[in-house]
């Protein structure tokens, strides 16, 4: 059986990923292909517990980075690799690029340290495609404030923080243009959905 595809979705908080992952999941399932829909932090019972800590508790950026990779290692070993091996497509709301964007770009952790953790835990394992939803942090903040509640620990960060995160994502995309698929997240949901359908339909 052919190995499945591993697609990740990235962007600053409120960029519109969830909306589009729903649509892409429907498209792939309509071709009778198994889809494993997952997210980071999270994706396993242990990872979901770590998610609760990461989104709720104050901690140093270094602890935060280690916890993201601890949850990710479980996720890759228990869920992602087995799903790909049986031919499923894995759609993950965030993966390692988020650590480079948020912990390195946003919080100033060393990129070399993150690279070392990535090499140790993932041994070169990477998504086949990463869809990057690029959005002005001002627009993203407006979208987030239209939702109920005060948001998690990350969503309460400043606009300057999200500007650095966005720049770090764009830098990663520029360094690896073959893997990244850019989406202008200011387009309407219909336009973005059509772009993703056009991109992925030939793969089905
Ligand atoms: N994190 C994560 C790290 O710091 N390091 C890491 O390594 C990892 C893996 C996760 C947090 O953890 C951080 C990053 C995050 O801060 P989360 O709750 O999973 O937290 O947060 P998000 O993944 O950002 O989820 P969000 O729900 O905030 O954002 P989405 O999914 O991008 O946005 P979505 O689809 O919910 O849409 C937001 C709003 O905009 C509207 C929607 O209806 C919704 O109201 N919308 C649009 N409006 C106009 N035009 C469009 N095209 C629209 N698309 C959606």
């Amino acid at each position: 059986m052919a190995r499945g595809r591993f697609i990740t979705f990235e962007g600053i908080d409120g960029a519109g990923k969830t909306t589009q992952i729903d649509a892409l999941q429907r498209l792939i399932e309509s071709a009778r292909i198994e889809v494993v829909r997952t997210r980071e932090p999270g994706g396993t019972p242990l990872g979901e517990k770590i998610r609760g800590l990461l989104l709720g508790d104050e901690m140093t950026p270094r602890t935060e980075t280690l916890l993201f990779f601890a949850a990710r290692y479980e996720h890759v070993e228990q869920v992602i690799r087995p799903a790909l091996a049986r031919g499923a497509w894995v759609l993950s709301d965030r993966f390692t690029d988020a650590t480079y964007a948020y912990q390195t770009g946003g919080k100033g952790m060393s990129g070399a340290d993150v690279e070392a953790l990535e090499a140790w835990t993932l041994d070169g394992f990477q998504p086949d495609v990463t869809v990057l939803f690029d959005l002005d942090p001002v627009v993203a903040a407006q979208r987030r404030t239209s939702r109920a509640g005060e948001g998690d620990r990350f969503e309460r960060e400043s606009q300057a923080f999200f500007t650095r995160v966005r720049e770090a994502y764009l830098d990663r995309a520029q360094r690896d243009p073959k893997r990244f698929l850019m989406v202008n997240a200011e387009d309407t949901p219909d336009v973005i959905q059509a772009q993703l359908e056009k991109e992925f339909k030939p793969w089905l």
Side-chain angles (χ1 to χ4, degrees), residues 106-120:
K107 301 201 173 181
M109 289 294 300
S110 129
D113 286 347
V114 174
E115 275 172 22
L117 280 171
E118 182 185 16
W120 183 51

Side-chain angles (χ1 to χ4, degrees), residues 8-13 17 40-41 64-65 68-69 72 92-107 114 118 127 130 132 154 161 165-166 168-169 172 179-180:
T8 60
F9 300 82
E10 301 281 358
I12 61 174
D13 292 70
K17 295 176 277 91
E40 290 208 351
E64 192 174 290
T65 304
F68 275 117
F69 272 105
R72 183 165 299 134
S92 184
D93 192 340
R94 302 192 181 282
F95 194 62
T96 312
D97 293 300
T99 310
Y100 284 100
Y102 280 77
Q103 279 63 52
T104 301
K107 301 201 173 181
V114 174
E118 182 185 16
T130 296
L132 176 55
F154 290 93
F161 173 85
V165 172
R166 180 193 195 190
Y169 269 132
R172 293 209 37 94
R179 175 165 65 89
F180 277 87

Side-chain angles (χ1 to χ4, degrees), residues 18-32:
T18 310
T19 313
Q20 295 301 330
I21 299 172
D22 290 344
L24 187 59
Q25 177 171 7
R26 287 194 296 274
L27 176 77
I28 300 165
E29 285 176 343
S30 72
R32 295 172 184 270

Side-chain angles (χ1 to χ4, degrees), residues 77-88:
E77 295 301 309
Q78 308 287 344
V79 175
I80 300 175
R81 285 193 203 268
L84 294 175
R86 66 175 184 266

Side-chain angles (χ1 to χ4, degrees), residues 133-149:
F133 288 72
D134 182 47
L135 186 62
D136 184 331
V138 176
V139 179
Q142 286 161 355
R143 289 188 190 171
R144 290 197 304 273
T145 49
S146 67
R147 291 195 292 213

Side-chain angles (χ1 to χ4, degrees), residues 23 27 48 52 75 91 120 134 148 170:
L27 176 77
E48 291 295 325
H75 192 201
L91 306 183
W120 183 51
D134 182 47
L170 291 173

